[in-house]
Amino acid sequence: MAPQRGSATRDPVRLAIIGLTGVVVLILVIGFGVVRDAGFFGMADPVRSVVFPELDDELERVDRVKLRSGSRRVVLIRDGDGWVVQQKDGYPAEPERVRGMLSALTSMPALQRQQAGADQFSGLGVAGDNDESTRVSLKRGDGETLRTIFIGLERAAPGAEDLEAYYVRAADSDTVWLADADLAFPADPMAWLNKEAFAVSRARIRELKTAPDPGKAVHIRRATVEDATFSGVGLPEDIELEGQWVLGELVVPFNSMSFTDVRRAETPLEPGGEAQGFVTTFDGVKLWYSVEARDGGQWARFAAESVGGATEEEEDLGDAESAGQSPVSAETLNERLRRWEFRLPEFHAERMRRSVADLPRKGVGDQGGVNEGVTVEGVEGDGG
């Protein structure tokens, strides 16, 4: 007997399978919508609305940003077109970091929204002033608080751009949002600084003298930018250095002068002191420095002056080898450095204070000459 048309669709087992399949598909579609766009059950709408849209209009009025997490805090103050860190005597903050924070606060998309009670705030890290939350206060110059936001715990969020999101809450609201933004804003003053005081590429350095205490300073130079290595000036004839790197590594700190702390200098450095070291560039800048061991660290001060530069040909070659690093004038360096003293990493301070006796050598007095590849010029005045 031929099967009747439509009998398959009336088979109870097949109908059950089809129905179950439909339910599973619907659940997956809804689940994806909840996770990806957070558009269901009291969460943010599918267009991923901004958490605090009104902040964008208030941004120009923000003159201070105060961050607090437990006992740690930092205050960023607008200074002209930039920002400074109050806890570091007004040292300039990294402008891109501050702009990035303000941009994140004003434009962070919402992944979830929930009404929570005070008893739930702690579990989400948005209860207030504790180690699990960061309190961000946006203020005017007169002290008026425009908005206070609690940034809470970070959690995995498949719908977020980098799969991570943060809970946030306005201090005057019980609404908690899961925001798709990088809201790791440390309440640490040093975290907001560019911890490179300055940089002078090796190609630009003509001459250098260390600042040991005690001991005889190491003085090195090269005649032109085409010279690949530095020559020692006035080194004793009876030492054999381990290699040319012994002299060449003395310029390394100046390629990127990083620091671990900074404070206002009680007395700015006056250039030219006998105990000071210096580095001279082919474009006519002489940067003097001192390094002192005190307050549990090595603290450096700097002062720059203009001196006779290289020939135009040497300057052109030096610029070409500087990987695009533009020469910086003595005036600009003084504006940036002279009011401050910087705590240096030990590996920088050790090189900058190295004496002739500290130079790594193969032997003393048994070679009757100097190490291969190291040139020793006649003794000249170490003061430059």
Side-chain angles (χ1 to χ4, degrees), residues 224-302:
T224 71
V225 293
E226 295 179 306
D227 294 333
T229 59
F230 289 88
S231 301
V233 179
L235 288 179
E237 294 282 346
D238 61 348
I239 67 172
E240 184 181 16
L241 302 180
E242 286 191 358
Q244 174 58 32
W245 63 268
V246 171
L247 300 182
E249 73 166 359
L250 297 178
V251 306
V252 169
F254 300 91
N255 300 160
S256 178
M257 187 60 69
S258 58
F259 59 91
T260 59
D261 202 356
V262 62
R263 63 191 181 192
R264 186 83 63 167
E266 293 184 5
T267 306
L269 185 69
E270 293 296 332
E274 183 64 27
Q276 295 174 18
F278 65 78
V279 59
T280 305
T281 69
F282 280 107
D283 43 53
V285 173
K286 191 170 190 175
L287 184 63
W288 295 85
Y289 70 88
S290 68
V291 182
E292 301 175 76
R294 51 191 168 87
D295 299 334
Q298 302 284 342
W299 292 85
R301 292 176 295 157
F302 300 92

Side-chain angles (χ1 to χ4, degrees), residues 303-342:
E305 62 180 359
S306 297
V307 295
T311 65
E312 183 175 345
E313 180 180 0
E314 289 174 333
E315 288 178 356
D316 290 343
L317 181 56
D319 290 344
E321 294 180 353
S322 295
Q325 184 188 73
S326 300
V328 180
S329 69
E331 181 181 6
T332 299
L333 281 171
N334 281 329
E335 288 177 0
R336 185 187 305 171
L337 303 174
R338 197 143 182 247
R339 294 177 298 159
W340 308 98
E341 58 181 357
F342 304 86

